[in-house]
Amino acid sequence: MEARYLRNIPALTEAECLTLRQKRVLVVGCGGLGGHIIDQLARIGIGSIRVVDGDVFEETNLNRQLLSEVPLLGTGKARAAAERVCRVNPDVVAEAAEVFLTEENAPSLLEGCDIVLDALDNISSRKTLAAACKKSKIPYIYGAISGWIAQAAVSMPGDNLMELLYPE
């Protein structure tokens, strides 16, 4: 086992660490929550990360978004996230999709992924992502932060999490 992953144990077994190296994760949203998720996935040794965000860094992001830096103002969040992954752990394959999630592009963004992590900032996009995960039968991890309040949940295909959290 590589030295960089030794501190993963005992939280994970060596076999689990090796399993993570075979997984592809989709993270949608590269801002405050997404930046931290992406950074930790790279450090723990996920094999491949596809990051999705059509937004660029603005000055208002500097105080709260891990990936935001003054030299990156105006830079696409997804591209900056993928580049950081390569600097943190060059063994992780990082792919940036500099687009906003839509019903039309969701199927192709999910293609080949083992799990999806939602770090979005709006309910309508969350519902779109959850519906695409349900249709593709891919587990969906929901996360949201607003001020000092955070929510997280795991939704297996068919759980209808978004309908329970955000009824019409």
Side-chain angles (χ1 to χ4, degrees):
M1 177 171 222
E2 293 177 51
R4 79 179 303 137
Y5 304 118
L6 289 176
R7 297 280 177 122
N8 288 355
I9 298 171
L12 299 170
T13 66
E14 186 172 344
E16 289 169 330
C17 289
L18 293 172
T19 297
L20 290 178
R21 298 289 303 135
Q22 306 304 313
K23 299 300 178 183
R24 174 180 276 175
V25 176
L26 174 67
V27 179
V28 185
C30 300
L33 179 58
H36 286 279
I37 290 169
I38 293 161
D39 189 76
Q40 292 303 306
L41 288 171
R43 291 177 190 281
I44 201 167
I46 291 295
S48 177
I49 305 171
R50 180 178 296 150
V51 295
V52 178
D53 201 317
D55 202 3
V56 298
F57 287 114
E58 301 173 352
E59 190 173 355
T60 58
N61 303 140
L62 291 170
N63 73 322
R64 59 194 171 79
Q65 295 187 11
L66 176 69
L67 303 178
S68 183
E69 302 172 7
V70 172
L72 294 178
L73 295 178
T75 301
K77 292 180 180 183
R79 181 166 41 114
E83 289 172 358
R84 176 166 175 118
V85 166
C86 294
R87 287 191 309 273
V88 168
N89 189 343
D91 293 335
V92 176
V93 175
E95 176 188 350
E98 294 185 273
V99 297
F100 290 104
L101 177 80
T102 65
E103 287 182 25
E104 293 75 30
N105 67 17
S108 64
L109 293 171
L110 273 69
E111 190 174 322
C113 292
D114 297 297
I115 194 163
V116 173
L117 291 115
D118 166 358
L120 289 159
D121 61 1
N122 67 82
I123 296 169
S124 63
S125 294
R126 284 194 162 95
K127 287 183 173 184
T128 298
L129 183 57
C133 288
K134 182 178 180 179
K135 185 174 183 179
S136 298
K137 296 181 176 32
I138 298 174
Y140 166 75
I141 309 298
Y142 160 80
I145 295 176
S146 179
W148 295 103
I149 298 170
Q151 293 179 326
V154 176
S155 179
M156 298 307 286
D159 284 353
N160 299 320
L161 176 66
M162 286 297 104
E163 291 83 1
L164 296 171
L165 291 176
Y166 304 108
E168 292 299 324

